Structure formats: structure tokens, C-alpha cells
Amino acid sequence: MWCEPWKGGCALTVKVTPRASRDAVLGAEEGWLRVALTAPPVDGKANEAARRFLAEALGVPRGDVRLLSGQTARLKRFAVEALPPEEARRRLLPA
């Protein structure tokens, strides 16, 4: 599952596609959420762009989203404070 409980909030497993034409959630696949970002994978720009994009998409302050792992990989894990997994899934992948 790409979104699971984690310390009073949730943890998201995200596969980032950098240098895309627009920032967007592309859908959920085999254990991760696929996200396209316009930022390049240079000097942590894609990590910060992913953090900012997820915070905006989830409707939470940017400070509530932090990168747990995957600093130099496309597959990243983010923690989101005080947001239950069910609500995060609903906000990122509305029916």
C-alpha cells in the first residue's frame, strides 16, 4: 500500500518523474503513488518540489510533510503529520 499509518499521521511512498510538463498525480501503482514534477532531479530541487506539491495537494502546511527516505532515488517516502491515511488517499486520488 502506498499510504499507511505512521506516528499519528501517514507515510506515503511516491515514485517521482522529474522534468515533466506539469506537476500532477498520475495514479497509484504497485505500492507507490506516481507523481510527475516539472522540477529537475538536481541539488534536491525535485525533493523540495515533491514536498511542496504533496502539501498543496493534501491541503496541509508544507512543514507537515517531510522526506523520510529516497533523497537521491525516484522512489521516495514522505511522512505527513496529523492526516489519517484514509483522508490522504481521498485527497490525492478522488473518486
Side-chain angles (χ1 to χ4, degrees):
M1 178 57 68
W2 59 269
C3 181
E4 49 196 22
W6 189 84
K7 296 186 180 181
C10 63
L12 309 174
T13 303
V14 178
K15 188 163 192 176
V16 174
T17 301
R19 290 194 176 115
S21 60
R22 63 186 175 96
D23 293 344
V25 173
L26 301 178
E29 299 178 26
E30 304 187 27
W32 64 72
L33 182 71
R34 184 173 292 279
V35 173
L37 299 172
T38 57
V42 179
D43 299 328
K45 290 181 182 176
N47 291 338
E48 183 55 32
R51 188 172 154 254
R52 188 172 42 250
F53 175 75
L54 289 171
E56 184 177 318
L58 291 166
V60 299
R62 201 172 354 174
D64 285 358
V65 179
R66 65 187 176 97
L67 183 63
L68 295 174
S69 64
Q71 286 80 358
T72 59
R74 286 187 181 206
L75 196 60
K76 302 177 183 304
R77 192 150 167 89
F78 290 90
V80 182
E81 295 183 27
L83 187 67
E86 305 79 32
E87 184 63 18
R89 285 192 288 272
R90 188 187 66 75
R91 291 180 187 186
L92 290 169
L93 293 174

